[in-house]
C-alpha cells in the first residue's frame, strides 16, 4: 500500500520524538499532534509505515533503554524502571521478562560480564539496533510463553 | 590523493530545499549544479573537505520508473536510508548554532564513553549523527 511521503515524513517525526524521550508518556493524541494527523489516522498509518503499533514501538524503546542502564550503570532496578517510564516496578519486571526472557537483575549480571564495542557506533544507531524486535503484542507473547527474545541465551534462572 | 571516494549521494525530496539546508544551515558549498532536461546533478562539499562531494539527488524519471520513485521517496521520508555521520570540533556549540537555525534535532548532545554526539535530520528525513572529533592528545575521560 502506498503512503504519501509527506505523511511519512511527519510520522517519522513522531517516531523520532519517542526515540528521543521514551520515558515520557506518549498517548495517541500527543503523537498525532506531532504528526499533524487525526488520532484514528495516526495509529493506522504509523503501523503501516513502521510495522508496529506506536505503543508497541515505544515499549521496545523503553526496554532498550532499560537494558542499557542495567548494563552501563549501577542504578538500582527500581530507579532503572522509573527512569525508563514505568510507574510500577511489577509491570516493568513482568514486561521486561516477557520481552527479554530474563529478569532485570540476571540480565545486568550477564551483560556486564561481556565486553562490547559500542563506543565505535554512534549512539542513536546503537539504540535503534539494540531495540528488541517485537513482532507480536506482549500480552500475546506472554500467552505463548516464548522466552529468549533478542537473541539472548534463554538461561532463565528465576 | 588520486584514488578514493569522490561522490556519495543522498536521495532528497526536493533539490532546492536540500540545497538551502546543506548550504545555508550546515555551511556546505555547492560543487556542481548541472541540469540536463529534467535531470539535475547537484553536489555539495564540506568547506574543510574538498576531496569529497555529497550528492543531493531526487528520485524520479528518467533514472527511475514511477513505482521505484514512489518506493525511494517513501524510504527517505520514513528515515530508512543509511546513517550519515558528520564530525565537528565541538558538538554542543554546533548543536546550539544549528538549533538556532531551525535544524530538526532528534537527539540532543549526549556524552558517552567520553565522546559527545547528537542527531538531526535533513528536511527529507535523512538522519545525521553529529560527533565531536576526539582530541588526539587527551586520554579517555572515563
Amino acid at each position: 500500500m502506498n503512503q504519501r511521503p509527506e505523511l511519512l515524513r511527519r510520522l517519522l517525526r513522531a517516531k523520532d520524538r519517542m526515540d528521543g524521550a521514551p520515558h515520557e508518556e506518549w498517548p495517541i493524541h500527543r503523537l498525532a499532534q506531532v504528526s499533524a494527523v487525526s488520532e484514528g489516522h495516526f495509529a493506522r498509518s504509523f503501523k503501516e509505515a513502521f510495522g508496529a503499533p506506536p505503543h508497541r514501538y515505544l515499549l521496545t524503546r523503553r526496554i532498550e533503554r532499560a537494558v542499557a542502564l542495567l548494563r552501563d550503570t549501577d542504578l538500582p532496578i527500581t530507579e532503572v524502571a522509573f527512569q525508563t517510564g514505568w510507574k510500577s516496578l511489577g509491570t516493568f519486571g513482568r514486561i521486561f521478562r516477557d520481552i527479554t526472557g530474563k529478569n532485570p537483575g540476571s540480565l545486568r549480571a550477564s551483560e556486564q560480564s561481556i565486553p562490547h564495542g559500542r563506543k565505535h557506533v554512534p549512539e542513536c544507531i546503537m539504540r535503534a539496533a539494540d531495540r528488541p524486535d517485537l513482532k507480536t503484542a506482549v500480552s500475546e507473547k506472554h500467552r505463548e510463553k516464548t522466552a529468549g527474545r533478542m537473541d539472548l541465551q534463554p538461561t532463565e534462572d528465576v | 590523493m588520486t584514488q578514493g571516494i569522490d561522490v556519495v549521494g543522498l536521495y532528497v525530496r526536493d533539490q532546492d530545499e536540500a540545497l538551502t539546508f546543506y548550504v545555508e544551515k550546515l555551511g556546505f558549498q555547492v560543487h556542481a549544479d548541472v541540469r540536463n532536461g529534467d535531470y539535475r546533478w547537484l553536489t555539495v562539499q564540506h568547506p574543510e573537505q574538498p576531496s569529497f562531494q555529497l550528492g543531493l539527488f531526487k528520485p524520479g524519471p528518467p533514472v527511475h520508473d514511477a513505482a521505484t520513485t514512489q518506493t525511494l521517496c517513501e524510504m527517505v521520508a520514513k528515515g530508512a536510508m543509511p546513517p550519515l555521520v558528520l564530525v565537528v570540533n565541538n558538538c554542543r556549540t554546533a548543536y546550539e548554532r544549528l538549533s538556532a537555525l531551525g535544524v530538526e534535532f532528534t537527539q540532543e548532545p549526549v556524552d558517552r564513553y567520553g565522546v559527545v554526539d547528537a542527531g538531526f535530520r535533513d528536511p527529507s528525513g535523512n538522519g545525521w549523527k553529529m560527533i565531536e572529533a576526539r582530541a588526539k592528545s587527551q586520554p579517555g575521560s572515563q
Side-chain angles (χ1 to χ4, degrees), chain A:
Chain A
M1 206 45 173
N2 287 347
Q3 285 184 289
R4 284 186 303 112
E6 298 76 17
L7 170 65
L8 291 169
R9 183 66 183 85
R10 286 185 277 119
L11 295 172
L12 176 62
R13 204 158 280 142
K15 182 168 167 278
D16 282 341
R17 293 284 296 276
M18 285 194 276
D19 291 350
H23 57 284
E24 291 182 14
E25 293 298 319
W26 289 102
I28 293 293
H29 67 83
R30 186 179 177 200
L31 292 166
Q33 200 170 28
V34 171
S35 293
V37 293
S38 72
E39 294 180 32
H41 193 41
F42 177 82
R44 196 167 1 99
S45 307
F46 187 96
K47 182 170 190 288
E48 193 179 331
F50 301 113
H55 287 99
R56 191 187 303 164
Y57 180 78
L58 179 64
L59 209 56
T60 66
R61 278 289 177 179
R62 286 185 174 181
I63 293 297
E64 180 279 320
R65 283 290 74 209
V67 170
L69 288 176
L70 290 167
R71 181 189 63 230
D72 299 338
T73 73
D74 292 317
L75 289 172
I77 288 166
T78 315
E79 191 53 32
V80 169
F82 291 145
Q83 282 196 19
T84 53
W86 271 274
K87 292 202 170 67
S88 137
L89 190 58
T91 311
F92 168 68
R94 181 173 52 76
I95 292 179
F96 191 94
R97 257 191 317 276
D98 287 345
I99 293 177
T100 68
K102 292 190 177 187
N103 68 35
S106 62
L107 186 129
R108 165 173 270 168
S110 62
E111 284 283 310
Q112 287 186 341
S113 67
I114 309 165
H116 59 78
R118 284 183 173 75
K119 68 178 172 185
H120 300 294
V121 185
E123 178 70 6
C124 346
I125 307 289
M126 205 65 249
R127 290 186 185 191
D130 278 347
R131 199 173 63 81
D133 188 10
L134 257 193
K135 294 196 176 67
T136 54
V138 176
S139 53
E140 200 177 316
K141 209 172 162 47
H142 202 212
R143 250 178 276 127
E144 290 171 1
K145 291 264 187 269
T146 51
R149 280 299 313 152
M150 286 174 63
D151 300 321
L152 292 168
Q153 296 304 311
T155 49
E156 270 285 0
D157 56 0
V158 173

Side-chain angles (χ1 to χ4, degrees), chain A residues 119 122, chain B residues 85-95 109-118 129-136 138 141:
Chain A
K119 68 178 172 185
Chain B
V85 179
L86 187 68
V87 177
V88 294
N89 288 331
N90 186 313
C91 187
R92 292 182 202 281
T93 308
Y95 169 79
V110 172
D111 194 330
R112 195 184 63 118
Y113 306 119
V115 178
V116 184
D117 73 10
K129 310 306 155 201
M130 185 167 75
I131 299 182
E132 191 164 304
R134 217 180 244 278
K136 289 197 179 75
Q138 301 268 320
S141 54

